Amino acid sequence: MKKILITRKLIKESEDKASKTFNPIFNSNDELYSQSKVIEMSQGCDGILSSLTDKMDKETINKLPDTVKIISNFAVGFGNIDLEAAKKRGIAVTNTPEVLSDATAEIGILLILGACRRAAEGIESAREGGWKWSADYLIGKQLTGTRLGVLGMGRIGQKIARIAKSLGMIIHYHNRSKLSEDKEQGAIYHDNLKSLFSVSDVLSICCPATKETENMINKETVEYFPKGAVITNVARGDIVDDDALIDALNRRKIYAVGLDVYKNEPNLNPGYLKIKSAFILPHLGSATKDTRIAMANLAIDNIDEFFKTGNCINKVN
Ligand code: GLV
C-alpha cells in the first residue's frame, strides 16, 4: 500500500476511507505543520494529501524526498502550491473541483447579502442592545434590480449568478472566454475588467488566484467601479490589494465589502477590522460536513487514480 502523509486532520469518515485506500500518516492533533515539518514527515512517503494551509512553495517542493510523486490538495484552489516547481520534480498536483461549488456559492451569496444589507453593523447593534428602529436605521442596498458583476464565471461563479438572478439581480460577468448561452443564462459578457467593473454595483470575485489575477482589485481598478459599489470575495485574498481596497472604503468610493478569504490568512489586514460595513468571515466557503467529506474523499480518490493509472482527471500541473 502507498504511504501518504495527510497534513491536516480529516473528518472521521474520510480518515476511515484513507485507511482502506492507502497507508496514511494522520495528524491526530491537527497540528499546523511548518514547511520543514512537512519535509521531515514526508520521508519515505509516496504522496502528500495537503491542505490550503500548507505553503508548498518552490523551496519546500525541492526538498521533498524523491519518493513523493503526488500532492493531492484538499481544496479546489491550489495557490498554496508552486505548480511549476512540482512539475519540474515530476510531482503531480491535484485539486477537488465541483464538489464544493454549491457550498461555496452559498457563502458567496451570504457575502453579497451581508455586505449589501449591513449585516455586520446589524449583528453588532442587536448584540449591544438599545438600538432604536427608525425609518432610516441601517439602510442598506437592495439586491433586486441591482447589477452584479461576476469575476470568473466557473462553476462557483455560475451558481452565484443563478441564485443572484433569482433574487432579482442583473448579471454581468468577465471570464477568459465567453460562455455558451445555456451557461450564461442571460448574463452579459464583458471582455475586459474595466467594462465589467464600471457596471458592477456589486462584485463577486470567483476567479482562481494566479499570477494574472494577483491584485486585480488595486488602486487603479477600484476607480472603475460606480461610486458606492460593494465588493465581495469568495475566491482568494491574493486577488485583492488590501491597502487599495481599504483606502477606497475609507473614502466611501466603495460602500461595503463581504470577504471570506484574505492574504496571509488568518492574519487579515487590520484595516478591515476598523470598517463597520465590512462583513467578514473566516474562510467558510466549503465548510459543510457533506462538502468537506466529499472534498477529502475526492482528494483520496485522486491519489488512488494517480497510482493506478499514472494520471488523474483532476491533475492541475
Ligand atoms: C477553499 O477555499 C478551496 O479552495 O477549496
Side-chain angles (χ1 to χ4, degrees):
M1 272 215 217
K2 298 292 181 190
K3 190 169 162 190
I4 307 294
L5 171 67
I6 303 183
T7 62
R8 298 296 305 271
K9 189 171 167 60
L10 304 176
I11 288 174
K12 186 173 177 313
E13 285 89 332
S14 304
E15 294 204 339
D16 290 347
K17 179 178 164 84
S19 298
K20 286 188 199 127
T21 316
F22 36 68
N23 173 15
I25 304 175
F26 291 127
N27 177 356
S28 47
N29 297 326
D30 203 22
E31 188 191 329
L32 268 181
Y33 293 154
S34 62
Q35 284 149 291
S36 55
K37 180 100 182 188
V38 170
I39 296 163
E40 182 196 317
M41 299 275 302
S42 61
Q43 297 303 315
C45 285
D46 300 288
I48 300 175
L49 195 156
S50 60
S51 123
L52 55 86
T53 54
D54 299 304
K55 195 162 189 280
M56 305 295 276
D57 57 11
K58 187 172 169 187
E59 224 197 336
T60 308
I61 288 178
N62 285 343
K63 288 187 186 149
L64 291 175
D66 291 339
T67 50
V68 171
K69 298 294 174 215
I70 179 166
I71 299 172
S72 171
N73 212 33
F74 172 48
V76 66
F78 39 82
N80 58 311
I81 304 175
D82 188 324
L83 298 187
E84 274 312 301
K87 194 170 182 168
K88 277 200 185 122
R89 289 216 54 204
I91 300 174
V93 177
T94 60
N95 73 338
T96 61
E98 295 194 33
V99 291
L100 45 57
S101 302
D102 291 343
T104 308
E106 288 170 11
I107 290 289
I109 292 293
L110 178 61
L111 296 177
I112 294 171
L113 280 165
C116 289
R117 297 304 303 271
R118 304 178 66 176
E121 292 158 272
I123 292 167
E124 200 181 319
S125 297
R127 282 186 185 281
E128 273 174 7
W131 44 273
K132 182 166 159 245
W133 186 93
S134 66
D136 61 356
Y137 176 61
L138 286 186
I139 293 284
K141 211 185 236 311
Q142 184 157 312
L143 301 193
T144 312
T146 295
R147 297 169 298 181
L148 173 70
V150 179
L151 178 59
M153 206 49 154
R155 297 176 196 92
I156 295 169
Q158 285 172 41
K159 176 99 193 196
I160 289 177
R162 271 202 303 281
I163 303 172
K165 192 176 169 198
S166 76
L167 292 170
M169 300 190 86
I170 300 145
I171 316 300
H172 295 253
Y173 74 99
H174 170 66
N175 209 39
R176 266 171 307 184
S177 50
K178 188 173 175 332
L179 300 184
S180 59
E181 267 177 34
D182 62 318
K183 286 191 173 151
E184 262 182 353
Q185 305 236 352
I188 301 150
Y189 179 62
H190 296 256
D191 66 5
N192 67 83
L193 281 188
K194 189 170 190 176
S195 167
L196 178 75
F197 290 176
S198 65
V199 295
S200 296
D201 301 314
V202 180
L203 182 77
S204 177
I205 303 174
C206 305
C207 58
T210 61
K211 285 195 183 81
E212 291 73 43
T213 62
E214 191 175 356
N215 291 332
M216 251 185 181
I217 303 293
N218 57 43
K219 219 171 152 166
E220 184 188 335
T221 59
V222 90
E223 297 308 323
Y224 300 158
F225 287 88
K227 183 160 169 55
V230 168
I231 295 182
T232 68
N233 188 1
V234 75
R236 282 292 183 269
D238 293 331
I239 299 160
V240 175
D241 173 340
D242 292 326
D243 290 335
L245 183 53
I246 290 165
D247 174 62
L249 282 158
N250 285 327
R251 289 186 285 116
R252 310 280 162 145
K253 165 75 188 178
I254 299 299
Y255 169 77
V257 285
L259 306 173
D260 187 44
V261 288
Y262 310 88
K263 278 201 170 89
N264 199 25
E265 289 177 14
N267 304 313
L268 64 159
N269 189 313
Y272 289 121
L273 304 177
K274 296 191 192 123
I275 291 167
K276 281 185 182 307
S277 64
F279 180 70
I280 53 177
L281 297 176
H283 204 144
L284 297 182
S286 62
T288 70
K289 189 171 178 197
D290 286 351
T291 295
R292 287 284 162 81
I293 291 175
M295 287 166 68
N297 290 355
L298 183 53
I300 292 165
D301 287 341
N302 285 342
I303 296 175
D304 198 34
E305 181 187 343
F306 177 75
F307 283 117
K308 280 190 177 136
T309 69
N311 209 341
C312 177
I313 190 168
N314 295 319
K315 185 166 173 287
V316 290
N317 69 337

